[in-house]
Amino acid sequence: MRLTTGAVALALALTAAPACADAPWMNPALSPDARADALEAKLDEAQKISLLHGRFALAAYYGAFAGDAPPSIPGAIGSSGYVPGIPALGIPALQETDGGLGVSDAMDEAWNTGATPLPANLALAASFDPALARATGDVAGQEAWRRGFNVLLAGGVNLTRDPRGGRNFEYLGEDPYLAGTLDGQLIAGIQAQHVVATLKHFAFNDKESNRYADDALIDEASARESDLLAFELAIEGGAPASVMCAYNLVNSAYACGNDHLLNDVLKHDWRYPGWVMSDWGAVHSAKDALAGLDQESGEDYDAQVFFGTPLADAVKTGEIPQARIDDMVHRILRSMFATGLFDHPPVKTPIDYQADGLAAQHEEEEGLVLMKNDNILPLTKDTPRIAVIGGYANVGVLSGGGSSQVIPDVPAQLLPTVFMGEGLAGNHTRAVIDPDAPLAAMRDLAPNAQFRFDPGNYPSAAAQTAKWADVVVIFARKWQTESQDVPDLTLPDGQDAMIEAVAKANPHTIVVLETGNPVQMPWLNDVAGVMEAWYPGGNGGHAIANILFGVVDPSGHLPMTFPRDETQLPRPILSGQDAAGQVTSTDYNIEGADVGYRWFAARGLSPLFPFGFGLSYTSFGFSHLVLSDQHGLTASFDVANTGKLPGAAVPQLYLTARNGAHTLRLVGFSRIPLAPGETQHVTLTIDPRLLADFDAKADDWQVAAGSYSLSLASSAADIDETGSISLPAARIAP
Ligand code: GLC
């Protein structure tokens, strides 16, 4: 926390909190639970109920004409959510902002004064770097705090069950161990800044089509071994103060009124002490409180303020016990104490855009994935003629849409898009180009080269420009957004034809993808290089240029499988489309826990690019794998940089067989920077739940006795060395 003592004094003075003497809950030496207990004793029923529901803080704005300044809801600083505090008791208001990629604009470009756009979380996932996730959380949490917010609605960890999902760019890929581990660190970083993070969207909100009324069907064991495992690991790693339940149904009960998910799994099995807030407009009854919901968010979007008078009335009639109300209040207050909202209230402080921009750049440099390199990369700085084509590369880099949309602190190009999605985020109809142009950054690194830019709108013109050049760099883009999935895996707007024409004109062509999901590449054999930059963030142009010219070694590895086409998917046709609000269903039992690479392995399918795949400008070797169960299950091995350039290896460890039966699960990974010729010895500890089956009847994890094969690999499809170990039977509580 970068705070001066003066700022702290100012903060404390501003909150005018009661002195400790007559407010024992202000004593930081007490535990969060003890402080909450002491405070609750002072609350009357109306005050308790007032803490259980909140508004979308730009609510009236969406009734007014777009572009108006947001109306002032007394006490709210604006943005996504506001729950009034109780100043006389020192309870701060909850000032809530989105989102998962930095301090977002609550879908309102006109209002936001700017923040640092972080790259898509797919870049963070591709880094396979928990320390980077923590650092990214620090940056996001710090900017939220400095803007006056004490809740950042970040921490999304829904798995990529469908590579057409509109919000996959906000999440961390298809594997529960990778996603849950990184999300936990992201949350820990945010909360270290005394800002509440919200693990979301609990659960199975894995696509956007008909998200308000799609019923996710999945058996218990599969659920626990996939999406729920990601949430469980994130809770263990990051202790999120809050969990946001999702819009959709799960096994025919709305997620925010789902007794099994919220009470049985989250609060009983996982002993979760924090509070469950709803998504905005996701509450259907006051009785959702009985199912485990603790707070109604964005009440403006519900049929009524269920957690206001209806909740109070239900207590009076005995339909909802007072004890439940007290528990709801306790969960909120103890989590506010635990995160420091009472002791370290936000102090409006200028944001260090330069430092945070460099942090975003570093994240993108670690998360960009080099997918093909036929001796064309890295570019040399004395390349005479370089053509740059498409992707608005002369202006900036693409970002994703919806509640996570961050508006940078410098003027950004807003592009009209051709879609209006459903509901809240449907109003967000413009794509934001983060203004760090790859073209300018490339010119900076190769000042003697001649550059020509072509927007890529006409294949013939683009081909003409390509003919002139020694090397061509095409930027291909695919905009994704909350509230809408994409119908297929193709690049839109004729980009495939343009790439084909350019590659035909000049085979020394590199394609840089700015996408929020996997895409098909019909031109793959005709180009010399491909890299996936995801949504590159506020310094994305510099990050991409640094990798193109070898200033930084590419070290990203795919956090999601790139299919050849939709026929390889569990649901070739996306479910829930054109449902017009009717309840539809998505049968996740088709793949069960075999999400992504596990589905491909179980069916012997060969994807375009496998999970975990990523090239470097150097090369690495893995050796000397040793498995041990002496002090918990560990895998030790050596990683060597066998090339001539510095780089970062990402060895992956997979469970590949159990008692001879083939399986495939990521059970360990590490990111190891290595100088040329350097070797490091690595030891990974393996969580036994990753080897286990969830026993729904016994409600625990079962590790069967027998032989386990664990393989070192550079991707889910590239196994290097396998070892095996015999393990005794074990049962592990959830
Ligand atoms: C949404 C999103 C959620 C966001 C909330 C507030 O519709 O699903 O992720 O935090 O509204 O904007």
Side-chain angles (χ1 to χ4, degrees):
M1 170 66 68
R2 298 172 237 152
L3 262 191
T4 61
T5 44
V8 173
L10 174 65
L12 292 176
L14 285 177
T15 49
C20 278
D22 48 11
W25 56 88
M26 294 308 290
N27 177 358
L30 296 176
S31 72
D33 283 308
R35 297 176 77 175
D37 287 341
L39 178 49
E40 284 147 38
K42 296 291 184 185
L43 296 173
D44 63 29
E45 190 68 1
Q47 288 172 323
K48 290 178 182 176
I49 296 293
S50 75
L51 298 176
L52 304 182
H53 60 94
R55 299 196 56 188
F56 180 51
L58 291 178
Y61 168 52
Y62 272 101
F65 180 71
D68 290 350
S72 59
I73 296 175
I77 58 176
S79 194
S80 306
Y82 171 66
V83 180
I86 304 175
L89 295 173
I91 300 177
L94 293 180
Q95 305 281 6
E96 302 174 336
T97 187
D98 282 296
L101 305 178
V103 179
S104 83
D105 65 349
M107 295 159 273
D108 157 37
E109 302 86 8
W111 163 70
N112 193 304
T113 56
T116 301
L118 295 171
N121 275 332
L122 290 175
L124 178 58
S127 76
F128 280 68
D129 187 354
L132 178 68
R134 172 63 194 249
T136 302
D138 287 342
V139 169
Q142 174 77 213
E143 290 207 359
W145 192 88
R146 288 183 172 209
R147 292 278 303 280
F149 296 107
N150 55 14
V151 177
L152 181 61
L153 302 164
V157 75
N158 295 94
L159 296 187
T160 309
R161 281 187 178 267
D162 196 307
R164 297 160 289 196
R167 296 184 80 173
N168 288 339
F169 71 92
E170 291 186 49
Y171 307 141
L172 294 155
E174 68 192 27
D175 180 78
Y177 177 56
L178 174 66
T181 301
L182 296 184
D183 201 45
Q185 290 308 305
L186 187 69
I187 288 167
I190 293 167
Q191 299 193 154
Q193 309 307 316
H194 306 305
V195 173
V196 163
T198 52
L199 180 62
K200 69 185 189 181
H201 304 82
F202 192 64
F204 296 97
N205 186 174
D206 295 347
K207 60 180 180 66
E208 293 300 286
S209 299
N210 201 30
R211 65 174 177 164
Y212 296 97
D214 191 60
D215 189 1
L217 306 176
I218 187 156
D219 70 271
E220 185 67 13
S222 298
R224 295 290 190 114
E225 292 172 20
S226 57
D227 290 59
L228 297 187
L229 178 58
F231 281 95
E232 185 175 15
L233 293 170
I235 289 172
E236 291 169 1
S242 182
V243 169
M244 184 191 293
C245 50
Y247 288 122
N248 52 282
L249 299 90
V250 180
N251 296 326
S252 303
Y254 280 104
C256 288
N258 197 303
D259 177 59
H260 176 64
L261 271 186
L262 303 182
N263 285 330
D264 298 342
V265 177
L266 180 65
K267 294 182 178 180
H268 176 266
D269 284 4
W270 299 348
R271 295 165 293 286
Y272 177 65
W275 90 90
V276 178
M277 65 163 74
S278 73
D279 202 336
W280 272 235
V283 181
H284 301 85
S285 161
K287 284 195 283 188
D288 288 347
L290 290 174
L293 181 64
D294 299 309
Q295 190 180 62
E296 177 181 14
S297 308
E299 66 197 30
D300 316 77
Y301 292 92
D302 285 322
Q304 55 179 289
V305 183
F306 292 108
F307 279 23
T309 304
L311 184 64
D313 292 348
V315 176
K316 289 175 189 146
T317 62
E319 199 177 10
I320 293 178
Q322 180 62 43
R324 178 74 265 267
I325 300 299
D326 293 342
D327 178 52
M328 294 157 79
V329 169
H330 183 83
R331 286 172 175 274
I332 294 168
L333 293 179
R334 59 79 47 202
S335 303
M336 290 172 70
F337 282 119
T339 314
L341 271 60
F342 284 80
D343 305 327
H344 305 282
V347 175
K348 294 235 177 167
T349 317
I351 287 172
D352 186 343
Y353 288 114
Q354 208 215 339
D356 292 352
L358 289 173
Q361 180 177 324
H362 175 63
E363 180 186 350
E364 170 64 11
E365 287 168 350
E366 282 205 16
L368 185 148
V369 182
L370 178 61
M371 301 169 81
K372 178 175 184 180
N373 183 15
D374 287 353
N375 302 314
I376 190 168
L377 288 163
L379 300 177
T380 59
K381 294 186 178 179
D382 56 5
T383 304
R385 287 175 301 279
I386 300 174
V388 175
I389 297 175
Y392 313 109
N394 60 326
V395 169
V397 289
L398 190 60
S399 64
S403 57
S404 69
Q405 179 79 67
V406 174
I407 299 294
D409 59 297
V410 290
Q413 297 274 338
L414 304 179
L415 299 173
T417 55
V418 290
F419 114 87
M420 286 286 283
E422 301 165 74
L424 191 58
N427 301 304
H428 198 65
T429 58
R430 288 175 287 188
V432 174
I433 303 294
D434 290 325
D436 182 33
L439 177 58
M442 291 168 73
R443 285 185 197 278
D444 289 348
L445 288 178
N448 301 323
Q450 288 180 66
F451 283 86
R452 278 190 191 171
F453 175 74
D454 179 284
N457 300 330
Y458 298 94
S460 58
Q464 206 53 36
T465 305
K467 280 197 184 101
W468 161 85
D470 298 287
V471 171
V472 183
V473 183
I474 299 175
F475 288 82
R477 54 174 175 72
K478 181 167 188 174
W479 189 64
Q480 301 259 192
T481 184
E482 177 179 344
S483 90
Q484 183 165 35
D485 302 319
V486 286
D488 59 38
L489 300 170
T490 62
L491 283 172
D493 305 330
Q495 293 179 94
D496 284 331
M498 180 271 283
I499 295 169
E500 295 280 9
V502 167
K504 197 169 169 193
N506 187 335
H508 302 294
T509 292
I510 298 147
V511 176
V512 180
L513 296 166
E514 294 178 9
T515 68
N517 260 320
V519 290
Q520 287 173 282
M521 306 179 201
W523 32 261
L524 182 61
N525 295 332
D526 305 323
V527 302
V530 178
M531 52 179 70
E532 174 61 73
W534 315 109
Y535 296 144
N539 279 37
H542 282 80
I544 292 167
N546 279 346
I547 288 184
L548 282 170
F549 285 96
V551 175
V552 173
D553 176 64
S555 59
H557 288 71
L558 295 179
M560 54 177 36
T561 304
F562 275 50
R564 291 184 186 282
D565 56 46
E566 294 87 359
T567 64
Q568 292 192 315
L569 300 177
R571 283 163 294 282
I573 305 295
L574 192 63
S575 60
Q577 298 187 79
D578 310 323
Q582 304 303 313
V583 173
T584 54
S585 68
T586 298
D587 186 3
Y588 290 130
N589 289 308
I590 293 172
E591 70 275 28
D594 286 340
V595 181
Y597 65 86
R598 292 180 52 172
W599 166 262
F600 280 75
R603 277 157 184 71
L605 296 170
S606 164
L608 188 63
F609 287 97
F611 172 89
F613 180 83
L615 300 175
S616 165
Y617 293 149
T618 184
S619 54
F620 302 102
F622 307 150
S623 61
H624 301 104
L625 174 63
V626 174
L627 303 178
S628 164
D629 189 26
Q630 293 311 305
H631 309 289
L633 180 57
T634 60
S636 299
F637 50 91
D638 291 336
V639 182
N641 180 341
T642 54
K644 297 184 174 51
L645 293 169
V650 179
Q652 299 149 48
L653 189 71
Y654 291 89
L655 171 67
T656 46
R658 293 187 300 180
N659 285 324
H662 183 71
T663 185
L664 191 61
R665 297 183 188 183
L666 181 72
V667 298
F669 60 87
S670 187
R671 187 183 186 279
I672 320 278
L674 293 167
E678 183 186 0
T679 296
Q680 269 200 29
H681 188 66
V682 180
T683 298
L684 301 177
T685 300
I686 294 145
D687 183 327
R689 289 172 292 182
L690 301 176
L691 311 177
D693 294 315
F694 189 81
D695 182 334
K697 283 196 177 54
D699 194 27
D700 63 12
W701 297 92
Q702 183 179 4
V703 177
S707 167
Y708 288 76
S709 299
L710 297 172
S711 301
L712 260 185
S714 47
S715 85
D718 301 288
I719 303 294
D720 285 72
E721 182 180 352
T722 296
S724 61
I725 188 167
S726 290
L727 296 176
R731 298 193 81 89
I732 304 158

